[in-house]
Amino acid sequence: MLKFQIPLYFKQKPILCIAVFLAVLPIHGSLVTAQVIDFEKAAPYECLFTQEQIHNLFNHLQVKPFGREDLAFGFLVPKDWRDIPLTVDAALLENDTVSYVPLTQQLAPSDTGHPRIDVRYNRLDLEVNLADWAAYFVESLDYEVLLKRTAEYNNRMAEDYLIRSVQESVPFIVRLTISRHGNLIFIVTGSAEESVFQEYANIFGLAAVSFTVTNEPKQPDAEPMKQYSGNRSPKLSFRYPASWTVTEPEEIPEGKSGVDLALRLRNPETGTDITMAFVHCKGTLKTVGESSTVILEKMKLDFRNIGVEFVEKMPEMILKERFDQPFTSGELWHVRVGSMSNHLAVVVLEQPTHHVAVSLLVTRREDNRFAWMTGWRVFSLIAADLRGGTGPGTQATSGELPDQSGLIGMVRETLAGLLQAVSSDDYTEFHKTLSGSFKEQAPPDRLRSAFGSFADKKIDISAIRSGEPAFDTPPQIDGNRHLPIDGSFDLYPYQLHFDLEYVFEDRSWKPISISIHYKPSPATEVKPEDIPSGRNLEALVHETMVDFAKAIRAKHFGDFYQKLSVLWKTQTSPEDLSGIFGSFLSQNITLEGIEALTPVSDGEPSIDGNGWLHVAGSYPTQPMKTYFTFQYLREKTSWKLTSININMK
């Protein structure tokens, strides 16, 4: 049951000081016609200067603003540029969550066109996505956006903008490069009049690309994070910001679990708590028998029962763009809570044994950007953890080593994606997830040649998504900034061994090398004393034949199917067995009286390289003998049928 106060009230986060990057200049005259911008030249990031030019013409400027180690940074700036001393009011520093604090200003030796480089920072007090924050910041400037891109510069993820501003009838071009480091946002800007901007584009580009935070924070999140781990089945487990409160329902039906999270802040005007954003989670075991559609409708009903009015369904594409993770079903709605307009997102995620439904109730972006940003960020974090994969909520914002859950999610996504491609014989989508160099070296057809032989294994992909890999060695980033990960998944009766290597590109770790192979799980290893012989072998064979006879007489293989090995079950169904043995059914062969007969072995049983037990022989049935070849796989303490061949002659 949902437990939160309605109507929701969202208070817009104030901005005390919007950064003015361009001085208001005392320039007069007619309007200057804007030049046509060549984006590749105006915002360069590659081959900016030679190493010799950098050595001779640039200094690596090291700045420790206000003597604070957490704000220390460095970047390359021309040797002849002037460092302008800055005076910052103490009140601005104290309010750095709602202001953009200047840290350094560098001016070109020539004042023509007013070229300059600035660095400012802002501190986050709520968990948000960098892309959302950057878009908000640029919109608050009310300038014309010419270019936007997401990139990785100097092992840090950045949102890069090129914007145009007109001051006193003079057009300026500004390059904004925004990166996040823990709870700090750094903004590097290079600006000049449009008429001279291109002359300095490479210098601005070098400042943007070379910018480095001296002491990268160990915690990549803006807020301290907590771990929720429920006690009910299905178990819900995820990370969430410490500023959010968690409430568990007092009563919940068997086979279900649930939890609510809310971000509540004090309203200084009324002295009451304000609900800024709300996330509602529910887990449902598949044994309950509810489809994903039913679960989604019940989630919506939870909100209707507390007074949420559904106004208009929004395009699903908006949800997919914001969520950026596959979901079984999902909807995005414009809703009302009292007199307030809000958005409600609901997604249902499928796991092997259960469904998880996650919903977000949050203000509209245009009404309160910060509530919207933090709501979607936490929604993405929780959903990604519950899904057991990666996404915008779990991607690293720079190339640091992911935590344990992040490493597991990476491996799961890579292997599940590969096995999905193998089973469907379509490698197009999986190819898109690879690193740039891997894509060039291994087009889809080459991937098919390399991994197509694994198709006959038909491993249950859901077992990868929910399983826990064992790492052979603790993953560490090597000297080439690559991340090798080796280990195995125990997918009884097999183990899937993997040797993966990742490189950080486009905001996430992407595979640059993949090697996998299968071998029997340790639980299937056969010792000499485990091989049945004599009466034990006879009993094993006879039980199989009698079970088969019962199945063809009943013309139903449900009971027989339950006695198969786990491996065979993943590759077939009772209906498939009916088709395989259709000739027995169509010819009404019933093997009557076989229960009273004794099997005759055709030689000694044998064990192959995979640990499979091979047994062949016959029954003295009349008027034709019944010949059999059975193969078994040892599963823990018993032998399970994994292949059967029966013919009569």
Side-chain angles (χ1 to χ4, degrees):
M1 177 180 292
L2 292 174
K3 292 180 179 290
F4 75 113
Q5 298 295 319
I6 57 172
L8 293 178
Y9 173 75
F10 297 96
K11 184 177 178 65
Q12 180 68 47
K13 182 176 181 179
I15 299 297
L16 298 182
C17 174
I18 293 295
V20 180
F21 293 97
L22 308 176
V24 178
L25 305 173
I27 299 175
H28 303 282
S30 59
L31 178 66
V32 178
T33 303
Q35 298 177 344
V36 176
I37 298 294
D38 184 330
F39 293 138
E40 293 301 319
K41 293 182 179 180
Y45 58 91
E46 293 181 311
C47 304
L48 300 169
F49 296 94
T50 66
Q51 287 298 319
E52 183 179 2
Q53 288 173 322
I54 291 175
H55 176 75
N56 294 332
L57 303 176
F58 290 84
N59 284 326
H60 190 265
L61 182 67
Q62 296 286 343
V63 183
K64 189 165 75 171
F66 322 115
R68 287 174 50 177
E69 292 288 346
D70 62 323
L71 297 178
F73 63 88
F75 65 95
L76 292 168
V77 64
K79 292 180 178 179
D80 58 350
W81 282 45
R82 293 173 291 152
D83 181 30
I84 306 302
L86 299 177
T87 301
V88 177
D89 190 283
L92 202 64
L93 273 174
E94 293 174 0
N95 293 281
D96 58 358
T97 61
V98 291
S99 60
Y100 306 109
V101 182
L103 299 177
T104 189
Q105 184 180 112
Q106 306 294 314
L107 297 184
S110 171
D111 196 41
T112 302
H114 301 87
R116 58 191 275 187
I117 298 172
D118 295 87
V119 179
R120 286 172 167 79
Y121 91 94
N122 175 248
R123 183 169 59 85
L124 299 172
D125 57 358
L126 294 173
E127 184 64 28
V128 300
N129 282 321
L130 174 63
D132 287 340
W133 189 96
Y136 166 80
F137 172 73
V138 171
E139 289 174 17
S140 69
L141 299 176
D142 197 26
Y143 294 161
E144 178 187 1
V145 177
L146 304 175
L147 170 69
K148 176 190 179 300
R149 66 172 165 234
T150 299
E152 181 185 357
Y153 298 145
N154 204 16
N155 292 322
R156 83 189 199 281
M157 296 312 304
E159 296 296 317
D160 213 356
Y161 284 84
L162 202 65
I163 63 177
R164 177 187 280 123
S165 170
V166 177
Q167 296 188 36
E168 297 285 334
S169 301
V170 178
F172 280 76
I173 301 297
V174 185
R175 181 171 179 175
L176 298 170
T177 309
I178 305 168
S179 58
R180 172 180 163 179
H181 306 266
N183 67 340
L184 298 178
I185 299 281
F186 287 89
I187 309 159
V188 181
T189 68
S191 61
E193 291 181 21
E194 186 168 350
S195 59
V196 303
F197 181 85
Q198 192 59 57
E199 299 175 26
Y200 297 93
N202 279 23
I203 292 175
F204 296 153
L206 188 60
V209 171
S210 66
F211 179 87
T212 306
V213 171
T214 304
N215 300 296
E216 194 70 45
K218 296 181 180 180
Q219 172 57 261
D221 304 297
E223 301 182 58
M225 303 296 286
K226 290 185 175 182
Q227 182 74 29
Y228 172 79
S229 187
N231 296 319
R232 294 185 58 86
S233 180
K235 187 174 182 178
L236 303 180
S237 181
F238 52 81
R239 297 174 303 139
Y240 68 96
S243 60
W244 288 59
T245 59
V246 171
T247 306
E248 293 181 326
E250 296 177 359
E251 297 180 4
I252 195 165
E254 190 69 26
K256 296 189 176 185
S257 56
V259 63
D260 299 334
L261 296 96
L263 176 62
R264 296 189 176 98
L265 301 178
R266 180 68 61 177
N267 183 352
E269 299 175 2
T270 63
T272 58
D273 284 344
I274 308 163
T275 301
M276 300 292 290
F278 183 82
V279 174
H280 179 42
C281 308
K282 293 174 72 173
T284 304
L285 290 174
K286 289 185 176 179
T287 54
V288 174
E290 294 181 355
S291 67
S292 62
T293 302
V294 169
I295 292 170
L296 186 142
E297 291 301 321
K298 287 190 173 183
M299 280 289 273
K300 290 158 58 179
L301 181 61
D302 286 345
F303 285 92
R304 286 192 174 96
N305 288 340
I306 58 165
V308 175
E309 176 189 356
F310 285 68
V311 178
E312 180 183 12
K313 189 175 181 180
M314 302 171 66
E316 186 176 317
M317 183 56 64
I318 299 176
L319 179 59
K320 289 182 177 179
E321 290 173 352
R322 285 298 316 165
F323 197 66
D324 197 30
Q325 295 180 58
F327 48 79
T328 308
S329 57
E331 293 180 1
L332 180 63
W333 284 83
H334 170 212
V335 299
R336 288 190 179 278
V337 183
S339 60
M340 301 295 295
S341 291
N342 301 285
H343 285 165
L344 176 65
V346 183
V347 296
V348 179
L349 312 171
E350 184 173 5
Q351 295 286 24
T353 61
H354 62 279
H355 289 94
V356 179
V358 191
S359 57
L360 168 69
L361 181 62
V362 69
T363 185
R364 300 180 304 173
R365 176 168 50 182
E366 58 268 31
D367 293 335
N368 188 296
R369 192 61 171 267
F370 273 87
W372 177 85
M373 283 194 288
T374 193
W376 276 102
R377 169 65 170 174
V378 175
F379 180 62
S380 297
L381 281 171
I382 293 172
D385 281 357
L386 289 174
R387 180 175 174 267
T390 59
T394 56
Q395 286 180 347
T397 55
S398 62
E400 75 272 6
L401 180 70
D403 60 17
Q404 187 72 3
S405 63
L407 291 167
I408 292 172
M410 286 165 53
V411 172
R412 282 173 174 166
E413 288 303 296
T414 298
L415 296 180
L418 174 59
L419 294 176
Q420 178 64 46
V422 169
S423 65
S424 65
D425 196 34
D426 184 354
Y427 293 80
T428 306
E429 291 302 316
F430 178 68
H431 183 261
K432 295 177 183 178
T433 68
L434 306 179
S435 64
S437 60
F438 200 176
K439 287 179 183 177
E440 294 178 4
Q441 297 173 23
D445 287 345
R446 188 171 179 185
L447 292 173
R448 179 180 292 106
S449 298
F451 298 106
S453 61
F454 291 94
D456 62 340
K457 299 296 183 183
K458 296 184 180 179
I459 297 298
D460 183 6
I461 295 173
S462 64
I464 294 285
R465 293 198 181 279
S466 61
E468 192 88 357
F471 296 138
D472 292 342
T473 56
Q476 293 292 334
I477 298 172
D478 64 21
N480 296 319
R481 299 297 299 172
H482 289 182
L483 175 55
I485 306 177
D486 56 358
S488 62
F489 272 95
D490 193 1
L491 307 175
Y492 185 81
Y494 280 109
Q495 275 191 336
L496 173 62
H497 289 256
F498 57 84
D499 191 346
L500 311 173
E501 190 168 348
Y502 295 85
V503 63
F504 198 80
E505 286 182 1
D506 299 331
R507 309 183 70 183
S508 63
W509 288 99
K510 295 188 176 182
I512 196 172
S513 171
I514 299 174
S515 175
I516 61 172
H517 67 276
Y518 290 99
K519 70 177 187 179
S521 170
T524 67
E525 293 180 356
V526 181
K527 300 175 183 177
E529 60 267 26
D530 295 328
I531 301 175
S533 60
R535 291 187 178 277
N536 291 333
L537 180 63
E538 179 182 304
L540 175 65
V541 169
H542 193 57
E543 181 183 2
T544 299
M545 184 60 79
V546 170
D547 288 339
F548 177 76
K550 291 178 179 178
I552 60 174
R553 291 170 197 161
K555 297 185 177 183
H556 185 272
F557 285 82
D559 292 338
F560 183 72
Y561 176 83
Q562 296 304 320
K563 295 190 175 184
L564 304 183
S565 67
V566 173
L567 176 63
W568 198 2
K569 286 181 181 178
T570 64
Q571 301 178 31
T572 191
S573 67
E575 292 73 21
D576 292 335
L577 294 175
S578 296
I580 292 171
F581 298 106
S583 59
F584 282 82
L585 303 180
S586 62
Q587 297 178 44
N588 201 29
I589 297 174
T590 61
L591 298 176
E592 289 291 345
I594 204 165
E595 289 86 348
L597 300 177
T598 300
V600 179
S601 177
D602 183 10
E604 294 296 321
S606 62
I607 300 292
D608 65 17
N610 291 320
W612 289 22
L613 172 66
H614 294 249
V615 183
S618 63
Y619 276 85
T621 51
Q622 295 294 333
M624 295 183 291
K625 273 189 176 182
T626 301
Y627 292 86
F628 63 85
T629 300
F630 298 152
Q631 295 181 32
Y632 299 90
L633 186 64
R634 185 170 176 79
E635 294 186 352
K636 298 179 182 178
T637 60
S638 61
W639 290 94
K640 296 289 186 179
L641 188 68
T642 193
S643 173
I644 181 171
N645 184 0
I646 296 177
N647 61 80
M648 303 182 73
K649 59 184 179 180

